[in-house]
Amino acid sequence: MILKHIKRILLVLACLPFVSIGLLILFEILGMGVNHFATYRQTRELKHNLIQNISDIEILDVYSETGNTGPTGNHVDCLSVISFSSSQPLEAIQNSMEKYYEFNEWHCRIDKTEQGYEFYLNTSAPFADNIEGH
C-alpha cells in the first residue's frame, strides 16, 4: 500500500519538469498571439484615425511588424508604418493626429517622403519580454 503511494509520488515528480516546460511553451505561444493581435489592432486604428482626420488621404502602403525592431536588446515591439499622400501640409496632419498620438523622434512621427508622407508608430507589446524579442 505504501509502495503504491510512493510510486505515484515519484511519477508525479518525474512528470513535473515536463509539465512545467509545456506550460511555459504554451504561455510563450499565447504571448506571441496576443502581441501579433496588438500590432494588428494598432495598425487598424492608425489607418482609421488617418482616414477620419485627413479628408483627401490616399493610402499607399500599410506595413506592420511584431518583434524586436530596435538594437537595444530583448523586448517585443508593435510597429506600424502607413505611407499615404495628401495635399495638406505636414504641420496640419500632425496637428490633426495629436489628439491620438504623442509625437517624438523615436517612437511616433510623420515623415515627408517622395510619394507623400509616412506615419511611423512603434509601441511596446503587451508581452514585451516574450521569446519573440530575443
Side-chain angles (χ1 to χ4, degrees):
M1 178 92 162
I2 294 177
L3 189 58
K4 191 184 242 186
H5 289 300
I6 292 175
K7 284 182 181 179
R8 286 183 184 167
I9 291 171
L10 290 176
L11 181 63
V12 168
L13 289 176
C15 292
L16 196 58
F18 298 106
V19 170
S20 298
I21 290 170
L23 289 173
L24 179 65
I25 290 171
L26 285 174
F27 180 74
E28 291 294 327
I29 291 171
L30 174 71
M32 288 173 62
V34 170
N35 288 344
H36 282 269
F37 181 73
T39 302
Y40 165 77
R41 190 179 72 206
Q42 172 180 289
T43 305
R44 185 187 66 206
E45 288 176 4
L46 174 59
K47 184 177 177 182
H48 174 77
N49 291 338
L50 285 168
I51 291 170
Q52 291 297 314
N53 289 284
I54 303 171
S55 57
D56 65 339
I57 191 169
E58 180 185 341
I59 303 290
L60 303 174
D61 189 30
V62 178
Y63 172 78
S64 63
E65 178 182 339
T66 306
N68 189 350
T69 61
T72 57
N74 302 332
H75 66 282
V76 181
D77 296 319
C78 298
L79 173 65
S80 303
V81 180
I82 297 183
S83 300
F84 63 96
S85 63
S86 173
S87 62
Q88 296 184 24
L90 178 61
E91 294 77 23
I93 294 171
Q94 269 188 321
N95 289 339
S96 68
M97 298 305 288
E98 280 182 342
K99 58 186 166 189
Y100 305 107
Y101 306 102
E102 185 177 325
F103 290 97
N104 59 45
E105 292 293 318
W106 184 252
H107 297 291
C108 181
R109 65 180 184 270
I110 301 175
D111 298 319
K112 183 122 175 83
T113 65
E114 292 178 9
Q115 295 84 16
Y117 300 101
E118 184 176 85
F119 198 118
Y120 177 92
L121 180 61
N122 189 347
T123 61
S124 182
F127 287 84
D129 195 30
N130 189 267
I131 191 73
E132 198 169 23
H134 297 274

mmCIF file of all heavy atoms in Angstrom, residues 72-92:
data_model
loop_
_atom_site.group_PDB
_atom_site.id
_atom_site.type_symbol
_atom_site.label_atom_id
_atom_site.label_comp_id
_atom_site.label_asym_id
_atom_site.label_seq_id
_atom_site.Cartn_x
_atom_site.Cartn_y
_atom_site.Cartn_z
ATOM 1 N N THR A 72 18.304 47.635 -29.112
ATOM 2 C CA THR A 72 18.559 47.730 -27.676
ATOM 3 C C THR A 72 18.370 46.437 -26.908
ATOM 4 O O THR A 72 18.487 46.440 -25.696
ATOM 5 C CB THR A 72 17.649 48.814 -27.058
ATOM 6 O OG1 THR A 72 16.302 48.487 -27.358
ATOM 7 C CG2 THR A 72 18.010 50.177 -27.583
ATOM 8 N N GLY A 73 18.023 45.344 -27.534
ATOM 9 C CA GLY A 73 18.011 44.103 -26.788
ATOM 10 C C GLY A 73 16.706 43.358 -26.758
ATOM 11 O O GLY A 73 15.933 43.389 -27.700
ATOM 12 N N ASN A 74 16.463 42.689 -25.655
ATOM 13 C CA ASN A 74 15.396 41.711 -25.522
ATOM 14 C C ASN A 74 14.058 42.349 -25.177
ATOM 15 O O ASN A 74 13.723 42.521 -24.018
ATOM 16 C CB ASN A 74 15.768 40.709 -24.434
ATOM 17 C CG ASN A 74 17.076 40.025 -24.734
ATOM 18 O OD1 ASN A 74 17.442 39.875 -25.888
ATOM 19 N ND2 ASN A 74 17.775 39.610 -23.701
ATOM 20 N N HIS A 75 13.294 42.680 -26.175
ATOM 21 C CA HIS A 75 11.949 43.207 -25.984
ATOM 22 C C HIS A 75 11.165 43.022 -27.275
ATOM 23 O O HIS A 75 11.743 42.780 -28.325
ATOM 24 C CB HIS A 75 11.982 44.685 -25.586
ATOM 25 C CG HIS A 75 12.512 45.574 -26.650
ATOM 26 N ND1 HIS A 75 13.846 45.691 -26.924
ATOM 27 C CD2 HIS A 75 11.881 46.362 -27.540
ATOM 28 C CE1 HIS A 75 14.016 46.539 -27.934
ATOM 29 N NE2 HIS A 75 12.838 46.950 -28.330
ATOM 30 N N VAL A 76 9.850 43.127 -27.176
ATOM 31 C CA VAL A 76 8.988 42.983 -28.352
ATOM 32 C C VAL A 76 8.271 44.301 -28.582
ATOM 33 O O VAL A 76 7.733 44.903 -27.662
ATOM 34 C CB VAL A 76 7.956 41.847 -28.153
ATOM 35 C CG1 VAL A 76 7.088 41.680 -29.393
ATOM 36 C CG2 VAL A 76 8.655 40.538 -27.828
ATOM 37 N N ASP A 77 8.275 44.760 -29.832
ATOM 38 C CA ASP A 77 7.619 45.993 -30.235
ATOM 39 C C ASP A 77 6.465 45.688 -31.182
ATOM 40 O O ASP A 77 6.458 44.667 -31.864
ATOM 41 C CB ASP A 77 8.596 46.913 -30.980
ATOM 42 C CG ASP A 77 9.748 47.376 -30.123
ATOM 43 O OD1 ASP A 77 9.511 47.699 -28.948
ATOM 44 O OD2 ASP A 77 10.873 47.419 -30.625
ATOM 45 N N CYS A 78 5.538 46.621 -31.238
ATOM 46 C CA CYS A 78 4.466 46.623 -32.232
ATOM 47 C C CYS A 78 4.744 47.799 -33.169
ATOM 48 O O CYS A 78 4.621 48.950 -32.757
ATOM 49 C CB CYS A 78 3.104 46.798 -31.574
ATOM 50 S SG CYS A 78 2.640 45.505 -30.427
ATOM 51 N N LEU A 79 5.132 47.510 -34.395
ATOM 52 C CA LEU A 79 5.492 48.549 -35.360
ATOM 53 C C LEU A 79 4.422 48.641 -36.434
ATOM 54 O O LEU A 79 4.024 47.629 -37.022
ATOM 55 C CB LEU A 79 6.845 48.233 -36.005
ATOM 56 C CG LEU A 79 7.282 49.133 -37.147
ATOM 57 C CD1 LEU A 79 7.519 50.562 -36.649
ATOM 58 C CD2 LEU A 79 8.535 48.589 -37.804
ATOM 59 N N SER A 80 3.963 49.865 -36.682
ATOM 60 C CA SER A 80 3.006 50.141 -37.748
ATOM 61 C C SER A 80 3.544 51.295 -38.584
ATOM 62 O O SER A 80 3.911 52.334 -38.031
ATOM 63 C CB SER A 80 1.645 50.539 -37.178
ATOM 64 O OG SER A 80 1.140 49.545 -36.333
ATOM 65 N N VAL A 81 3.590 51.107 -39.894
ATOM 66 C CA VAL A 81 4.038 52.151 -40.809
ATOM 67 C C VAL A 81 3.009 52.251 -41.933
ATOM 68 O O VAL A 81 2.717 51.271 -42.605
ATOM 69 C CB VAL A 81 5.431 51.844 -41.392
ATOM 70 C CG1 VAL A 81 5.874 52.951 -42.328
ATOM 71 C CG2 VAL A 81 6.450 51.621 -40.286
ATOM 72 N N ILE A 82 2.461 53.454 -42.103
ATOM 73 C CA ILE A 82 1.484 53.683 -43.170
ATOM 74 C C ILE A 82 1.989 54.814 -44.049
ATOM 75 O O ILE A 82 2.249 55.924 -43.572
ATOM 76 C CB ILE A 82 0.092 54.019 -42.601
ATOM 77 C CG1 ILE A 82 -0.430 52.832 -41.794
ATOM 78 C CG2 ILE A 82 -0.874 54.391 -43.719
ATOM 79 C CD1 ILE A 82 -1.807 53.010 -41.234
ATOM 80 N N SER A 83 2.132 54.526 -45.326
ATOM 81 C CA SER A 83 2.503 55.537 -46.320
ATOM 82 C C SER A 83 1.220 56.053 -46.966
ATOM 83 O O SER A 83 0.341 55.264 -47.315
ATOM 84 C CB SER A 83 3.407 54.934 -47.392
ATOM 85 O OG SER A 83 4.583 54.434 -46.813
ATOM 86 N N PHE A 84 1.136 57.361 -47.111
ATOM 87 C CA PHE A 84 -0.069 57.955 -47.681
ATOM 88 C C PHE A 84 0.278 59.258 -48.379
ATOM 89 O O PHE A 84 1.344 59.828 -48.186
ATOM 90 C CB PHE A 84 -1.132 58.185 -46.595
ATOM 91 C CG PHE A 84 -0.724 59.153 -45.517
ATOM 92 C CD1 PHE A 84 -1.084 60.491 -45.587
ATOM 93 C CD2 PHE A 84 0.012 58.723 -44.426
ATOM 94 C CE1 PHE A 84 -0.721 61.388 -44.601
ATOM 95 C CE2 PHE A 84 0.380 59.611 -43.425
ATOM 96 C CZ PHE A 84 0.020 60.943 -43.516
ATOM 97 N N SER A 85 -0.644 59.708 -49.196
ATOM 98 C CA SER A 85 -0.479 61.005 -49.855
ATOM 99 C C SER A 85 -1.655 61.895 -49.469
ATOM 100 O O SER A 85 -2.756 61.422 -49.202
ATOM 101 C CB SER A 85 -0.401 60.841 -51.377
ATOM 102 O OG SER A 85 -1.607 60.317 -51.871
ATOM 103 N N SER A 86 -1.376 63.183 -49.432
ATOM 104 C CA SER A 86 -2.380 64.183 -49.107
ATOM 105 C C SER A 86 -1.858 65.529 -49.576
ATOM 106 O O SER A 86 -0.653 65.760 -49.628
ATOM 107 C CB SER A 86 -2.637 64.209 -47.597
ATOM 108 O OG SER A 86 -3.491 65.283 -47.259
ATOM 109 N N SER A 87 -2.777 66.446 -49.886
ATOM 110 C CA SER A 87 -2.364 67.792 -50.289
ATOM 111 C C SER A 87 -2.149 68.694 -49.074
ATOM 112 O O SER A 87 -1.658 69.807 -49.217
ATOM 113 C CB SER A 87 -3.412 68.400 -51.223
ATOM 114 O OG SER A 87 -4.645 68.520 -50.535
ATOM 115 N N GLN A 88 -2.489 68.208 -47.881
ATOM 116 C CA GLN A 88 -2.328 69.008 -46.670
ATOM 117 C C GLN A 88 -0.848 69.073 -46.265
ATOM 118 O O GLN A 88 -0.097 68.126 -46.482
ATOM 119 C CB GLN A 88 -3.150 68.413 -45.522
ATOM 120 C CG GLN A 88 -4.637 68.448 -45.773
ATOM 121 C CD GLN A 88 -5.405 67.935 -44.568
ATOM 122 O OE1 GLN A 88 -4.926 67.961 -43.453
ATOM 123 N NE2 GLN A 88 -6.619 67.465 -44.821
ATOM 124 N N PRO A 89 -0.442 70.174 -45.648
ATOM 125 C CA PRO A 89 0.950 70.272 -45.194
ATOM 126 C C PRO A 89 1.191 69.371 -43.971
ATOM 127 O O PRO A 89 0.253 68.983 -43.260
ATOM 128 C CB PRO A 89 1.109 71.753 -44.827
ATOM 129 C CG PRO A 89 -0.272 72.243 -44.582
ATOM 130 C CD PRO A 89 -1.188 71.410 -45.428
ATOM 131 N N LEU A 90 2.441 69.052 -43.734
ATOM 132 C CA LEU A 90 2.840 68.168 -42.649
ATOM 133 C C LEU A 90 2.343 68.666 -41.290
ATOM 134 O O LEU A 90 1.837 67.890 -40.480
ATOM 135 C CB LEU A 90 4.369 68.014 -42.626
ATOM 136 C CG LEU A 90 4.953 67.152 -41.519
ATOM 137 C CD1 LEU A 90 4.447 65.722 -41.603
ATOM 138 C CD2 LEU A 90 6.472 67.176 -41.570
ATOM 139 N N GLU A 91 2.449 69.965 -41.046
ATOM 140 C CA GLU A 91 2.034 70.524 -39.757
ATOM 141 C C GLU A 91 0.536 70.322 -39.507
ATOM 142 O O GLU A 91 0.116 70.015 -38.399
ATOM 143 C CB GLU A 91 2.375 72.020 -39.671
ATOM 144 C CG GLU A 91 3.858 72.312 -39.678
ATOM 145 C CD GLU A 91 4.479 72.209 -41.084
ATOM 146 O OE1 GLU A 91 3.762 72.334 -42.097
ATOM 147 O OE2 GLU A 91 5.701 71.957 -41.150
ATOM 148 N N ALA A 92 -0.267 70.487 -40.544
ATOM 149 C CA ALA A 92 -1.714 70.300 -40.395
ATOM 150 C C ALA A 92 -2.051 68.836 -40.098
ATOM 151 O O ALA A 92 -2.929 68.547 -39.276
ATOM 152 C CB ALA A 92 -2.439 70.767 -41.659
#
